[in-house]
Amino acid sequence: MGRKETEEVIEEARRGGLKRFDSVEAMLADLYADDTPEIHEGSTNVYADLGLPGADEMPAKATLLTKIGQAIAARQLSNEQAAALGLTRAELGQLLAGRFRAHSVVTWNAWRRCSMRPADD
């Protein structure tokens, strides 16, 4: 811990923001207390588990995005060439960054078919 962090901790202690213990035993008891958050087993669709809208399509979109990204990489397409799939460069960047909620699975399948075509020689 550096000087700045030490000073911040001291200031927080002065404001009463730190827990104080009467003894080392009390501190150790608190340290070893089982305060682990409750863990619930989810389904195979994390989007549905979180209650997000469109959750039923999200796993399919994520799978398609992975395949599109792999096809672009395998063909060594530039951003401009990859954008020729019918996307702007900005849309392509957003999709490859994982922001894909606004597009339907039908649209994704069309992009995937375009990205899987053999390269023109």
Side-chain angles (χ1 to χ4, degrees), residues 45-120:
N45 185 343
V46 68
Y47 306 103
D49 294 344
L50 295 172
L52 298 175
D56 52 330
E57 285 190 340
M58 296 301 281
K61 288 180 180 183
T63 299
L64 287 169
L65 174 63
T66 299
K67 290 181 180 185
I68 290 169
Q70 289 170 341
I72 289 170
R75 294 181 64 195
Q76 299 177 337
L77 299 178
S78 68
N79 286 345
E80 290 78 20
Q81 291 169 321
L85 300 174
L87 301 167
T88 66
R89 286 177 56 198
E91 287 174 324
L92 178 64
Q94 287 183 348
L95 290 173
L96 295 177
R99 292 183 223 107
F100 48 79
R101 287 183 175 278
H103 302 283
S104 73
V105 171
V106 172
T107 304
W108 283 78
N109 275 315
W111 290 332
R112 181 169 177 251
R113 282 192 301 277
C114 289
S115 68
M116 296 302 209
R117 288 185 189 146
D120 296 331

Side-chain angles (χ1 to χ4, degrees), residues 32-49:
Y32 295 121
D34 185 15
D35 57 358
T36 304
E38 198 171 326
I39 297 172
H40 301 278
E41 186 172 334
S43 70
T44 58
N45 185 343
V46 68
Y47 306 103
D49 294 344

